[in-house]
Amino acid sequence: MNDIFQSVIEVLQQGQEAVFCGIVDSSGSAPRTSGARMLVLPDGSIRGSVGGGPVEGACQAKAKKLLHGNETHFLLSFDLTSVKAADAGMVCGGAVKVLLQRVTVKHLTFFEEIERLQRERERPVLLTVMQSEQVPALAVWTARDGLAGVNLPETLTTELARKAVKTRQSFSLEEDGLRVFAEPIIAPTVLHLVGAGHVALAAAKVAAFSGFEVVVMDDRSEFADAVRYPEAREVRVLENFEACLNDLGSDDYVVIVTRGHMHDRDVLAQALRTRAGYIGMIGSRSKRDAVYRSLLESGYTEQDLARVHCPIGLPIGADTPEEIAVSIVGEMIGVRAGLPA
């Protein structure tokens, strides 16, 4: 969704208008879940997606009318039965409701604030407040600053805060005809691959395909080569593995796959001093036990080591670098989704 916000800001900075489309309700096997976003630009082109097929086409057509009329918003409902979906070349059915909102220059400050909060890693929650006979309002909530842009009943505000800190998924709240649709805006999770050998090469491909931003680092320039890692956001050649991880937060994941136990041990020690949301180290149980003993002797605790996934990856019988990469990324996807370990 981050590209959508950047596109909105660019359009509004040019003094133009656009239509901000979002699925605010879905049931069955709808093609996109609640929280999917699409932007229809003044020239009719789109950014993002709300499911393709008839849904997207109808949204584009209605958005064009909004941009050339007086309406500020419109709620489109779609009943995509399996037959209708098949006729449209889609693989799933279900029901969705898409809210279309015309955004103008007056919304620029709001979207710039969303972007600022993202840069500061505040995990903002975009709120669409809908009430009968009123224009839907956009607002934002963060754990640090609370609610901004709209006043809500205290009960809804309390429930919003409770749910927002627990989930990455969109959710709705309702009270006395007032409906709040909440969309956590999560910055892309960054995978820091420490080591650039065969497993890292495969993991970078699978992780990038799964929506992770990839950073690769190694002290061997022939391995840490941007040509080998076209999917990576950054490839770093290190002088050594000392101080290669700094200031990581919960949206940073670390996978340690260096060429030696001592390098792994030193990188793991650095990772444990950060707030990284996932830390995985490749290796056998005997290697893990030796590394853990060394860290415990250095002052780390059992609680620290409980953060580490080692042996790394899901237990799927992985053997080749490609299979190991799938198991690692599968495990990270589970962590990212908030599934219990």
Side-chain angles (χ1 to χ4, degrees), residues 22-26 34-35 75 97-99 128 130 172 179 181:
I23 294 180
V24 295
D25 198 7
S26 64
S34 299
L75 187 65
K97 292 182 179 179
V98 183
L99 178 65
T128 305
M130 295 170 283
S172 295
R179 182 162 182 251
F181 181 67

Side-chain angles (χ1 to χ4, degrees), residues 191-197 199-201 203-204 214-220 223-224 229 234 236 238 240-246 248 253-260 263-268 270-271 278-282 287 312:
L191 168 60
H192 302 264
L193 279 168
V194 190
V199 170
L201 188 63
V214 179
V215 175
V216 181
M217 61 192 81
D218 202 305
D219 62 349
R220 300 167 294 175
F223 285 85
Y229 288 92
E234 179 184 0
R236 296 165 52 195
L238 306 173
N240 52 57
F241 287 101
E242 296 177 10
C244 63
L245 298 174
N246 296 292
L248 303 184
Y253 287 12
V254 178
V255 168
I256 304 169
V257 284
T258 76
R259 65 183 181 279
H263 293 315
D264 285 352
R265 184 264 182 213
D266 292 343
V267 174
L268 179 57
Q270 294 175 50
Y278 173 93
I279 302 171
M281 182 178 70
I282 201 166
K287 168 193 170 179
I312 197 170

Side-chain angles (χ1 to χ4, degrees), residues 44-240:
S45 62
I46 63 173
R47 301 289 184 274
S49 174
V50 288
V55 174
E56 226 148 79
C59 288
Q60 283 181 278
K62 185 59 184 179
K64 183 177 180 179
K65 293 181 179 179
L66 285 178
L67 289 170
H68 293 90
N70 296 320
E71 291 179 294
T72 60
H73 66 284
F74 198 86
L75 187 65
L76 284 174
S77 298
F78 301 88
D79 182 10
L80 301 172
T81 65
S82 58
V83 174
K84 290 179 180 178
D87 288 343
M90 301 170 73
V91 297
C92 49
V96 297
K97 292 182 179 179
V98 183
L99 178 65
L100 286 71
Q101 295 171 276
R102 193 172 73 200
V103 290
T104 66
V105 174
K106 70 178 183 181
H107 294 97
L108 177 58
T109 301
F110 173 79
F111 286 106
E112 288 177 334
E113 175 68 5
I114 292 283
E115 187 179 54
R116 181 185 67 81
L117 290 168
Q118 286 182 282
R119 288 198 308 269
E120 296 175 358
R121 296 190 174 188
E122 285 301 319
R123 292 193 173 189
V125 178
L126 174 65
L127 307 177
T128 305
V129 182
M130 295 170 283
Q131 194 164 17
S132 180
E133 306 301 325
Q134 294 189 23
V135 176
L138 293 173
V140 65
W141 179 93
T142 64
R144 183 188 68 186
D145 301 329
L147 184 63
V150 71
N151 292 318
L152 295 177
E154 184 177 349
T155 51
L156 281 184
T157 303
T158 301
E159 183 66 3
L160 169 64
R162 186 186 71 81
K163 284 193 172 184
V165 298
K166 288 184 176 182
T167 183
R168 300 170 62 98
Q169 304 300 317
S170 299
F171 59 91
S172 295
L173 303 171
E174 294 188 49
E175 181 179 304
D176 297 331
L178 177 66
R179 182 162 182 251
V180 179
F181 181 67
E183 303 168 71
I185 304 169
I186 308 299
T189 303
V190 180
L191 168 60
H192 302 264
L193 279 168
V194 190
H198 298 309
V199 170
L201 188 63
K205 297 179 188 298
V206 179
F209 185 72
S210 303
F212 293 86
E213 289 191 355
V214 179
V215 175
V216 181
M217 61 192 81
D218 202 305
D219 62 349
R220 300 167 294 175
S221 59
E222 65 272 25
F223 285 85
D225 184 345
V227 174
R228 294 183 74 227
Y229 288 92
E231 309 88 353
R233 184 188 76 183
E234 179 184 0
V235 179
R236 296 165 52 195
V237 179
L238 306 173
E239 183 176 341
N240 52 57

Side-chain angles (χ1 to χ4, degrees), residues 198-199 201-204 206-207 318 320-330 332:
H198 298 309
V199 170
L201 188 63
V206 179
T320 67
E322 292 76 16
E323 291 173 345
I324 294 169
V326 170
S327 75
I328 292 171
V329 176
M332 294 193 305

